[in-house]
Amino acid sequence: MIGFHETMYGEFWNLDPKDRNRQGRFDFTVDAMARLSEFVNPAGTKFMQTHLEGIVTMEGLCEEAQVMDGSLVLFKDMKLAYGFKFMTERGLMHYRGNKFLSLKHPLKSMTTLYGEITGDIVHQEYKNQALSFFRMSDLPAFMLSFVQSARF
């Protein structure tokens, strides 16, 4: 197994013009895990992909909700693509986010996650933007999590 533990901290805001002021904290902590043999096999269906498990907090909607159907695809099309679902008091939400990798700005591109949160709440589409950041103060624990997860 190979993997890591990561926390992203940020905020969300509603895209509905009638509810533009709806915003708040959006944080998640995940464990990304993959079988090493599948992760490094370019001919396989799980090449550079991990499974995500963890928790999500979306201010006013959920506190430490479980991540469901989580995945992270690394380095495809010069991005890290995060995706997962989570349950809120209003219903099921879907998160999709990307870190757009840049050789010109490697630190910013590896620590800034642009996301979208969508859901169908009482038969109305719910759409939010999210912007999250990796805190550099978490880097030692993040790096240690690679070592602790490595099982060959």
Side-chain angles (χ1 to χ4, degrees):
M1 295 294 280
I2 188 168
F4 59 86
H5 181 83
E6 178 180 43
T7 299
M8 298 297 295
Y9 305 90
E11 60 183 36
F12 73 95
W13 58 95
N14 197 315
L15 294 179
D16 183 344
K18 294 176 272 176
D19 197 13
R20 268 288 217 234
N21 295 327
R22 175 86 177 104
Q23 61 185 37
R25 193 177 105 221
F26 179 75
D27 304 332
F28 65 87
T29 299
V30 291
D31 290 314
M33 300 297 287
R35 291 181 188 271
L36 183 60
S37 60
E38 295 174 342
F39 184 77
V40 298
N41 180 2
T45 59
K46 296 184 180 181
F47 178 58
M48 300 302 278
Q49 293 184 31
T50 69
H51 172 74
L52 297 178
E53 293 180 356
I55 56 171
V56 181
T57 294
M58 187 171 180
E59 188 176 337
L61 295 174
C62 66
E63 186 77 29
E64 296 188 357
Q66 291 297 308
V67 165
M68 299 180 287
D69 300 326
S71 68
L72 170 60
V73 179
L74 292 95
F75 308 116
K76 185 176 181 184
D77 301 323
M78 288 296 288
K79 65 184 176 185
L80 306 180
Y82 292 70
F84 55 81
K85 299 174 187 174
F86 59 100
M87 188 61 74
T88 71
E89 60 186 46
R90 293 189 183 176
L92 185 65
M93 300 296 228
H94 303 262
Y95 175 79
R96 294 277 178 251
N98 294 295
K99 291 180 182 175
F100 297 100
L101 305 179
S102 166
L103 296 176
K104 211 174 193 182
H105 305 285
L107 186 60
K108 181 181 178 189
S109 70
M110 290 294 287
T111 59
T112 306
L113 180 61
Y114 303 89
E116 182 176 87
I117 306 162
T118 58
D120 183 18
I121 299 173
V122 193
H123 307 294
Q124 282 197 313
E125 186 178 311
Y126 190 78
K127 193 170 186 179
N128 298 276
Q129 289 289 325
L131 183 60
S132 304
F133 299 95
F134 176 82
R135 293 182 183 159
M136 291 308 292
S137 59
D138 289 347
L139 187 60
F142 175 78
M143 297 302 289
L144 185 59
S145 72
F146 275 108
V147 174
Q148 292 174 335
S149 70
R151 286 179 250 135
F152 302 95

